Amino acid sequence: MRILLLSQFYPPVIGGEERHVRNLGRALAQRGHSVSVGTFMHPGSPETEFDGAVRVRRLRGTVQRLSNLHADSERRHAPPFPDPGLLLALKRLVAEERPDIVHAHNWIYASFLPLRLLGGAPLVVTLHDYGLVCARKNFMHLGTHLCDGPRLAKCLPCATAHYGAVKATATTLGNWASSFVARRVVDRFIAVSHAVARHTGLTGGRTPYEVIPNFVPDDVGVLGSEDPCLRQLPKNGFILFVGDMMRLKGIDVLLKAYARLERAPPLILIGRRVADTPTVFPPNVRVFNNWPHSAIMHAWHRSLFGVLPSVGPEACATVIMEAMASGKAVVATDVGGMPDLVDHGETGLLVPPGDPQALARAMQSLLDDRTLLAHLESKSLARVGRLKAGAVVTRIEQVYRDVLRPAASRVEPPAKQCSGEPSC
């Protein structure tokens, strides 16, 4: 198949979604598909380049050029409505690449919707968050508690508190309109967790969808050379948190829970500092920023266990998969997509979100009961196979074939229909 992946960001811009798209493109190319990626232009990057066998095409959109609209100049997000400049760029890209299928990731799909309406290639959309119904994408009302569902009178004030009145109105109304069209035009949605499917209304609607998690590469457990930054880690075992150090990720809950532990080893935090990152940390807490991914994987292998105490409904936390692939247990909150990844009492422990006492009890149990910890570690390593590329990409390929099969039967004679082979 000729596959066009659409992602607003792509390396050198790094994040969970970007890493997923890159891994997906590489895995599909290894399986014999012709893969290209359409993504936003990034300063210093060429318009066209090859990332291994994957051709990367960098595009310019109208909203992207308006730097005053973006809080982070390095991450100028796609709007949740058709961007005129991006729409024209996508039209040219599709004419050149002639994809059999377009697979978009989050809001960039909105600029492809008019092309799909005009008979463009079948469209698959992966939802990595709650952006189909939430202008802030995190499904947290006013950033403090889990939303009970979208309503315009509630969504506009919530978005305004984050974006400001003008941008919030355009984002919220544009997202509602695109979502309405998408549910009727997108050929198949992929939700990365059951929570995403449920909160975006896919489970109660008629729009075809699949629940398929993100994945880690098959060789994720193979460590590369050691980065000099690893010398900063403690010699003995430590508890590890990886992610943005923000309240939504439960960083304040984690620090309160850590203060309750007895005979606590060091707590290592690796991630980005953001606006609500604490400014003061306890003495036995070490904070590191902007580590390369290879160094983070080394850190997982050296840790005792991981902790992800998010108070918001994480869609599908890649860090949990990476911990499992490193043979480590994770203490996580029972919210969002976490229960899809962590089998309580088998591969990790789940606790209520926002409860430092419960989090401390779970962490202390792993420190005190090394037999339990060893059991969770062995189960994590045994079960992570279902979250690796070999298993997950096969399911994504099947989605492509399912979407293409009825289209092929309408426009091609039976002898030319897709045979189901990877290269078809």
Side-chain angles (χ1 to χ4, degrees), residues 149-183:
R151 293 187 296 276
L152 192 58
K154 183 179 67 174
C155 293
L156 275 174
C158 181
T160 298
H162 181 68
Y163 294 115
V166 175
K167 188 176 177 181
T169 300
T171 301
T172 302
L173 296 181
N175 194 35
W176 279 57
S178 292
S179 177
F180 177 83
V181 176
R183 293 175 193 274

mmCIF file of all heavy atoms in Angstrom, residues 149-183:
data_model
loop_
_atom_site.group_PDB
_atom_site.id
_atom_site.type_symbol
_atom_site.label_atom_id
_atom_site.label_comp_id
_atom_site.label_asym_id
_atom_site.label_seq_id
_atom_site.Cartn_x
_atom_site.Cartn_y
_atom_site.Cartn_z
ATOM 1 N N GLY A 149 -18.681 15.595 30.086
ATOM 2 C CA GLY A 149 -19.172 15.589 28.716
ATOM 3 C C GLY A 149 -19.264 16.982 28.134
ATOM 4 O O GLY A 149 -19.414 17.966 28.868
ATOM 5 N N PRO A 150 -19.144 17.103 26.802
ATOM 6 C CA PRO A 150 -19.132 18.424 26.160
ATOM 7 C C PRO A 150 -20.515 19.064 26.081
ATOM 8 O O PRO A 150 -21.495 18.414 25.741
ATOM 9 C CB PRO A 150 -18.596 18.107 24.761
ATOM 10 C CG PRO A 150 -19.012 16.688 24.505
ATOM 11 C CD PRO A 150 -18.959 16.003 25.837
ATOM 12 N N ARG A 151 -20.560 20.328 26.435
ATOM 13 C CA ARG A 151 -21.728 21.190 26.218
ATOM 14 C C ARG A 151 -21.189 22.581 25.918
ATOM 15 O O ARG A 151 -20.288 23.073 26.614
ATOM 16 C CB ARG A 151 -22.637 21.222 27.455
ATOM 17 C CG ARG A 151 -23.329 19.907 27.758
ATOM 18 C CD ARG A 151 -24.353 20.047 28.888
ATOM 19 N NE ARG A 151 -23.710 20.416 30.144
ATOM 20 C CZ ARG A 151 -23.157 19.554 30.983
ATOM 21 N NH1 ARG A 151 -23.120 18.259 30.683
ATOM 22 N NH2 ARG A 151 -22.616 19.964 32.111
ATOM 23 N N LEU A 152 -21.732 23.204 24.900
ATOM 24 C CA LEU A 152 -21.165 24.461 24.422
ATOM 25 C C LEU A 152 -21.099 25.505 25.526
ATOM 26 O O LEU A 152 -20.095 26.216 25.663
ATOM 27 C CB LEU A 152 -21.979 24.998 23.240
ATOM 28 C CG LEU A 152 -21.347 26.158 22.460
ATOM 29 C CD1 LEU A 152 -19.996 25.754 21.907
ATOM 30 C CD2 LEU A 152 -22.269 26.604 21.328
ATOM 31 N N ALA A 153 -22.146 25.596 26.344
ATOM 32 C CA ALA A 153 -22.169 26.598 27.412
ATOM 33 C C ALA A 153 -21.099 26.328 28.456
ATOM 34 O O ALA A 153 -20.677 27.240 29.173
ATOM 35 C CB ALA A 153 -23.550 26.613 28.072
ATOM 36 N N LYS A 154 -20.642 25.102 28.551
ATOM 37 C CA LYS A 154 -19.590 24.749 29.499
ATOM 38 C C LYS A 154 -18.216 24.792 28.844
ATOM 39 O O LYS A 154 -17.223 25.218 29.453
ATOM 40 C CB LYS A 154 -19.853 23.337 30.060
ATOM 41 C CG LYS A 154 -18.848 22.901 31.113
ATOM 42 C CD LYS A 154 -19.170 21.517 31.652
ATOM 43 C CE LYS A 154 -18.982 20.456 30.593
ATOM 44 N NZ LYS A 154 -19.153 19.087 31.129
ATOM 45 N N CYS A 155 -18.148 24.380 27.581
ATOM 46 C CA CYS A 155 -16.861 24.291 26.897
ATOM 47 C C CYS A 155 -16.256 25.662 26.616
ATOM 48 O O CYS A 155 -15.040 25.839 26.720
ATOM 49 C CB CYS A 155 -17.012 23.527 25.584
ATOM 50 S SG CYS A 155 -17.408 21.768 25.802
ATOM 51 N N LEU A 156 -17.094 26.632 26.245
ATOM 52 C CA LEU A 156 -16.558 27.956 25.912
ATOM 53 C C LEU A 156 -15.865 28.622 27.103
ATOM 54 O O LEU A 156 -14.730 29.107 26.968
ATOM 55 C CB LEU A 156 -17.664 28.854 25.359
ATOM 56 C CG LEU A 156 -17.936 28.729 23.860
ATOM 57 C CD1 LEU A 156 -19.146 29.552 23.454
ATOM 58 C CD2 LEU A 156 -16.709 29.164 23.051
ATOM 59 N N PRO A 157 -16.476 28.666 28.293
ATOM 60 C CA PRO A 157 -15.756 29.246 29.438
ATOM 61 C C PRO A 157 -14.490 28.475 29.791
ATOM 62 O O PRO A 157 -13.481 29.073 30.175
ATOM 63 C CB PRO A 157 -16.784 29.176 30.577
ATOM 64 C CG PRO A 157 -18.106 29.117 29.894
ATOM 65 C CD PRO A 157 -17.871 28.340 28.647
ATOM 66 N N CYS A 158 -14.517 27.150 29.660
ATOM 67 C CA CYS A 158 -13.353 26.336 29.972
ATOM 68 C C CYS A 158 -12.214 26.651 29.002
ATOM 69 O O CYS A 158 -11.062 26.848 29.415
ATOM 70 C CB CYS A 158 -13.712 24.855 29.906
ATOM 71 S SG CYS A 158 -12.357 23.726 30.297
ATOM 72 N N ALA A 159 -12.534 26.718 27.711
ATOM 73 C CA ALA A 159 -11.518 27.031 26.712
ATOM 74 C C ALA A 159 -11.017 28.460 26.861
ATOM 75 O O ALA A 159 -9.833 28.739 26.655
ATOM 76 C CB ALA A 159 -12.080 26.815 25.311
ATOM 77 N N THR A 160 -11.916 29.381 27.246
ATOM 78 C CA THR A 160 -11.525 30.773 27.420
ATOM 79 C C THR A 160 -10.492 30.933 28.527
ATOM 80 O O THR A 160 -9.557 31.722 28.426
ATOM 81 C CB THR A 160 -12.757 31.645 27.725
ATOM 82 O OG1 THR A 160 -13.658 31.578 26.611
ATOM 83 C CG2 THR A 160 -12.370 33.099 27.961
ATOM 84 N N ALA A 161 -10.648 30.148 29.584
ATOM 85 C CA ALA A 161 -9.686 30.214 30.685
ATOM 86 C C ALA A 161 -8.297 29.781 30.233
ATOM 87 O O ALA A 161 -7.290 30.178 30.836
ATOM 88 C CB ALA A 161 -10.160 29.325 31.838
ATOM 89 N N HIS A 162 -8.234 29.016 29.166
ATOM 90 C CA HIS A 162 -6.947 28.519 28.674
ATOM 91 C C HIS A 162 -6.403 29.347 27.516
ATOM 92 O O HIS A 162 -5.218 29.692 27.493
ATOM 93 C CB HIS A 162 -7.101 27.061 28.235
ATOM 94 C CG HIS A 162 -5.840 26.424 27.737
ATOM 95 N ND1 HIS A 162 -4.773 26.151 28.563
ATOM 96 C CD2 HIS A 162 -5.472 26.013 26.489
ATOM 97 C CE1 HIS A 162 -3.801 25.584 27.856
ATOM 98 N NE2 HIS A 162 -4.200 25.494 26.599
ATOM 99 N N TYR A 163 -7.281 29.679 26.535
ATOM 100 C CA TYR A 163 -6.840 30.337 25.315
ATOM 101 C C TYR A 163 -7.071 31.846 25.281
ATOM 102 O O TYR A 163 -6.422 32.559 24.509
ATOM 103 C CB TYR A 163 -7.574 29.742 24.101
ATOM 104 C CG TYR A 163 -7.261 28.303 23.790
ATOM 105 C CD1 TYR A 163 -8.252 27.320 23.893
ATOM 106 C CD2 TYR A 163 -5.995 27.919 23.357
ATOM 107 C CE1 TYR A 163 -7.979 25.990 23.570
ATOM 108 C CE2 TYR A 163 -5.724 26.588 23.041
ATOM 109 C CZ TYR A 163 -6.715 25.638 23.145
ATOM 110 O OH TYR A 163 -6.449 24.321 22.833
ATOM 111 N N GLY A 164 -8.025 32.333 26.079
ATOM 112 C CA GLY A 164 -8.505 33.697 25.891
ATOM 113 C C GLY A 164 -9.757 33.656 25.040
ATOM 114 O O GLY A 164 -9.996 32.699 24.291
ATOM 115 N N ALA A 165 -10.585 34.701 25.112
ATOM 116 C CA ALA A 165 -11.928 34.671 24.532
ATOM 117 C C ALA A 165 -11.934 34.455 23.024
ATOM 118 O O ALA A 165 -12.677 33.610 22.503
ATOM 119 C CB ALA A 165 -12.669 35.952 24.890
ATOM 120 N N VAL A 166 -11.131 35.207 22.278
ATOM 121 C CA VAL A 166 -11.188 35.140 20.817
ATOM 122 C C VAL A 166 -10.707 33.787 20.312
ATOM 123 O O VAL A 166 -11.384 33.115 19.517
ATOM 124 C CB VAL A 166 -10.355 36.274 20.195
ATOM 125 C CG1 VAL A 166 -10.315 36.125 18.670
ATOM 126 C CG2 VAL A 166 -10.930 37.630 20.573
ATOM 127 N N LYS A 167 -9.547 33.372 20.763
ATOM 128 C CA LYS A 167 -8.993 32.090 20.318
ATOM 129 C C LYS A 167 -9.856 30.928 20.787
ATOM 130 O O LYS A 167 -10.047 29.945 20.058
ATOM 131 C CB LYS A 167 -7.571 31.945 20.847
ATOM 132 C CG LYS A 167 -6.823 30.752 20.290
ATOM 133 C CD LYS A 167 -5.385 30.735 20.791
ATOM 134 C CE LYS A 167 -4.638 29.503 20.314
ATOM 135 N NZ LYS A 167 -3.246 29.472 20.827
ATOM 136 N N ALA A 168 -10.420 31.038 21.993
ATOM 137 C CA ALA A 168 -11.272 29.970 22.517
ATOM 138 C C ALA A 168 -12.528 29.804 21.675
ATOM 139 O O ALA A 168 -12.959 28.676 21.404
ATOM 140 C CB ALA A 168 -11.646 30.258 23.963
ATOM 141 N N THR A 169 -13.121 30.907 21.268
ATOM 142 C CA THR A 169 -14.346 30.836 20.454
ATOM 143 C C THR A 169 -14.067 30.171 19.120
ATOM 144 O O THR A 169 -14.803 29.270 18.689
ATOM 145 C CB THR A 169 -14.911 32.243 20.239
ATOM 146 O OG1 THR A 169 -15.211 32.832 21.507
ATOM 147 C CG2 THR A 169 -16.184 32.187 19.399
ATOM 148 N N ALA A 170 -12.975 30.589 18.443
ATOM 149 C CA ALA A 170 -12.635 30.003 17.156
ATOM 150 C C ALA A 170 -12.291 28.521 17.303
ATOM 151 O O ALA A 170 -12.727 27.683 16.495
ATOM 152 C CB ALA A 170 -11.462 30.756 16.534
ATOM 153 N N THR A 171 -11.534 28.182 18.353
ATOM 154 C CA THR A 171 -11.116 26.798 18.557
ATOM 155 C C THR A 171 -12.295 25.899 18.897
ATOM 156 O O THR A 171 -12.454 24.815 18.318
ATOM 157 C CB THR A 171 -10.065 26.721 19.680
ATOM 158 O OG1 THR A 171 -8.937 27.524 19.334
ATOM 159 C CG2 THR A 171 -9.607 25.291 19.902
ATOM 160 N N THR A 172 -13.144 26.358 19.812
ATOM 161 C CA THR A 172 -14.271 25.528 20.247
ATOM 162 C C THR A 172 -15.287 25.326 19.128
ATOM 163 O O THR A 172 -15.694 24.192 18.840
ATOM 164 C CB THR A 172 -14.961 26.161 21.465
ATOM 165 O OG1 THR A 172 -14.009 26.321 22.518
ATOM 166 C CG2 THR A 172 -16.102 25.289 21.951
ATOM 167 N N LEU A 173 -15.697 26.403 18.483
ATOM 168 C CA LEU A 173 -16.704 26.295 17.420
ATOM 169 C C LEU A 173 -16.131 25.544 16.218
ATOM 170 O O LEU A 173 -16.827 24.725 15.604
ATOM 171 C CB LEU A 173 -17.193 27.682 17.008
ATOM 172 C CG LEU A 173 -17.941 28.467 18.099
ATOM 173 C CD1 LEU A 173 -18.394 29.818 17.556
ATOM 174 C CD2 LEU A 173 -19.145 27.677 18.616
ATOM 175 N N GLY A 174 -14.867 25.816 15.887
ATOM 176 C CA GLY A 174 -14.246 25.092 14.780
ATOM 177 C C GLY A 174 -14.145 23.613 15.063
ATOM 178 O O GLY A 174 -14.368 22.777 14.185
ATOM 179 N N ASN A 175 -13.815 23.277 16.298
ATOM 180 C CA ASN A 175 -13.695 21.872 16.664
ATOM 181 C C ASN A 175 -15.043 21.170 16.621
ATOM 182 O O ASN A 175 -15.147 20.022 16.169
ATOM 183 C CB ASN A 175 -13.078 21.759 18.063
ATOM 184 C CG ASN A 175 -12.607 20.352 18.370
ATOM 185 O OD1 ASN A 175 -12.138 19.645 17.495
ATOM 186 N ND2 ASN A 175 -12.739 19.936 19.615
ATOM 187 N N TRP A 176 -16.078 21.836 17.091
ATOM 188 C CA TRP A 176 -17.415 21.244 17.047
ATOM 189 C C TRP A 176 -17.833 20.973 15.598
ATOM 190 O O TRP A 176 -18.367 19.906 15.287
ATOM 191 C CB TRP A 176 -18.432 22.156 17.736
ATOM 192 C CG TRP A 176 -18.433 22.030 19.226
ATOM 193 C CD1 TRP A 176 -17.379 22.201 20.067
ATOM 194 C CD2 TRP A 176 -19.550 21.680 20.050
ATOM 195 N NE1 TRP A 176 -17.763 21.998 21.373
ATOM 196 C CE2 TRP A 176 -19.084 21.681 21.399
ATOM 197 C CE3 TRP A 176 -20.882 21.400 19.800
ATOM 198 C CZ2 TRP A 176 -19.912 21.394 22.475
ATOM 199 C CZ3 TRP A 176 -21.717 21.107 20.873
ATOM 200 C CH2 TRP A 176 -21.232 21.109 22.195
ATOM 201 N N ALA A 177 -17.573 21.932 14.707
ATOM 202 C CA ALA A 177 -17.961 21.762 13.305
ATOM 203 C C ALA A 177 -17.169 20.637 12.647
ATOM 204 O O ALA A 177 -17.733 19.787 11.942
ATOM 205 C CB ALA A 177 -17.746 23.079 12.552
ATOM 206 N N SER A 178 -15.849 20.614 12.879
ATOM 207 C CA SER A 178 -15.025 19.563 12.279
ATOM 208 C C SER A 178 -15.396 18.187 12.817
ATOM 209 O O SER A 178 -15.418 17.203 12.076
ATOM 210 C CB SER A 178 -13.546 19.844 12.550
ATOM 211 O OG SER A 178 -13.116 20.989 11.847
ATOM 212 N N SER A 179 -15.699 18.125 14.113
ATOM 213 C CA SER A 179 -16.088 16.853 14.707
ATOM 214 C C SER A 179 -17.383 16.330 14.089
ATOM 215 O O SER A 179 -17.520 15.132 13.809
ATOM 216 C CB SER A 179 -16.254 17.010 16.217
ATOM 217 O OG SER A 179 -16.702 15.810 16.810
ATOM 218 N N PHE A 180 -18.325 17.245 13.863
ATOM 219 C CA PHE A 180 -19.603 16.857 13.251
ATOM 220 C C PHE A 180 -19.366 16.253 11.864
ATOM 221 O O PHE A 180 -19.927 15.204 11.519
ATOM 222 C CB PHE A 180 -20.513 18.083 13.147
ATOM 223 C CG PHE A 180 -21.824 17.813 12.471
ATOM 224 C CD1 PHE A 180 -22.891 17.282 13.171
ATOM 225 C CD2 PHE A 180 -21.989 18.079 11.108
ATOM 226 C CE1 PHE A 180 -24.108 17.027 12.534
ATOM 227 C CE2 PHE A 180 -23.191 17.825 10.469
ATOM 228 C CZ PHE A 180 -24.257 17.300 11.186
ATOM 229 N N VAL A 181 -18.515 16.911 11.070
ATOM 230 C CA VAL A 181 -18.218 16.414 9.728
ATOM 231 C C VAL A 181 -17.418 15.121 9.798
ATOM 232 O O VAL A 181 -17.688 14.164 9.074
ATOM 233 C CB VAL A 181 -17.449 17.480 8.920
ATOM 234 C CG1 VAL A 181 -17.039 16.929 7.557
ATOM 235 C CG2 VAL A 181 -18.308 18.734 8.739
ATOM 236 N N ALA A 182 -16.428 15.089 10.685
ATOM 237 C CA ALA A 182 -15.549 13.929 10.765
ATOM 238 C C ALA A 182 -16.311 12.645 11.075
ATOM 239 O O ALA A 182 -16.011 11.581 10.522
ATOM 240 C CB ALA A 182 -14.468 14.161 11.821
ATOM 241 N N ARG A 183 -17.291 12.727 11.965
ATOM 242 C CA ARG A 183 -18.047 11.528 12.335
ATOM 243 C C ARG A 183 -18.829 10.958 11.157
ATOM 244 O O ARG A 183 -19.257 9.801 11.192
ATOM 245 C CB ARG A 183 -18.988 11.845 13.499
ATOM 246 C CG ARG A 183 -18.262 12.159 14.803
ATOM 247 C CD ARG A 183 -19.239 12.584 15.890
ATOM 248 N NE ARG A 183 -18.563 13.160 17.028
ATOM 249 C CZ ARG A 183 -18.060 12.474 18.058
ATOM 250 N NH1 ARG A 183 -18.177 11.160 18.071
ATOM 251 N NH2 ARG A 183 -17.448 13.084 19.057
#
